[in-house]
Amino acid sequence: AIRANVGGTITSVLTVNGATGTITGYQINANYADLAERFEADAPYEPGTVLQIGGEKEVTTSSISHDPRVAGVVSTDPAYLMNSKTEGAAVALTGRVPCLVQGPVEKGDRLVNVAPGVAGKLDPAQYEPGCIIGKSLNAIEDSSVKLIEIAVGRD
């Protein structure tokens, strides 16, 4: 067990059991902000790319706007990475990540796939359950594609 004492008060306890692979603690802090999982991708993808389930492997990009098969966004530095020993793209399933987004968008806009690997503002007339990748944390005033922060999350 690892214990940190400040002024005689235990502030943190972490127990690591190598035999069972179990880590127990009261609080874990991470420097990064997303939960990601490795998926076998049909090509190498840059961080910020929106991926869908499908293609020749497990994930790919899609040219279908508002595609409900959306899986997540290629992560830069996941706080927690599942299937870490597997080859493939680290796909953010939830949390905060940079994402390729086509404007215009405002903070808080719901985002969907609008072009291969690129998110954009939801058109409510094209909504399908499962198509939302997350919400914009930044604004883009014109129609350019920029790498901005989003909060990945499902509808």
Side-chain angles (χ1 to χ4, degrees), residues 3-119:
R3 296 178 187 271
N5 294 312
V6 176
T9 303
I10 296 176
T11 57
S12 173
V13 176
L14 177 67
T15 306
V16 179
N17 184 330
T20 63
T22 303
I23 299 174
T24 307
Y26 295 108
Q27 179 180 16
I28 298 174
N29 296 314
N31 291 329
Y32 304 108
D34 66 298
L35 174 132
E37 181 175 355
R38 286 216 187 269
F39 286 88
E40 191 177 5
D42 60 358
Y45 293 107
E46 294 295 319
T49 303
V50 177
L51 295 178
Q52 274 66 245
I53 302 293
E56 294 179 21
K57 306 288 183 174
E58 293 177 320
V59 291
T60 189
T61 57
S62 174
S63 59
I64 300 170
S65 184
H66 295 66
D67 193 334
R69 299 173 300 159
V70 68
V73 178
V74 178
S75 180
T76 51
D77 292 303
Y80 185 79
L81 180 60
M82 299 181 289
N83 290 328
S84 63
K85 294 183 181 179
T86 303
E87 292 293 320
V91 179
L93 306 174
T94 190
R96 180 185 187 128
V97 294
C99 180
L100 290 168
V101 177
Q102 181 174 6
V105 296
E106 296 179 15
K107 289 181 182 181
D109 280 347
R110 293 174 292 170
L111 302 173
V112 297
N113 186 77
V114 294
V118 178

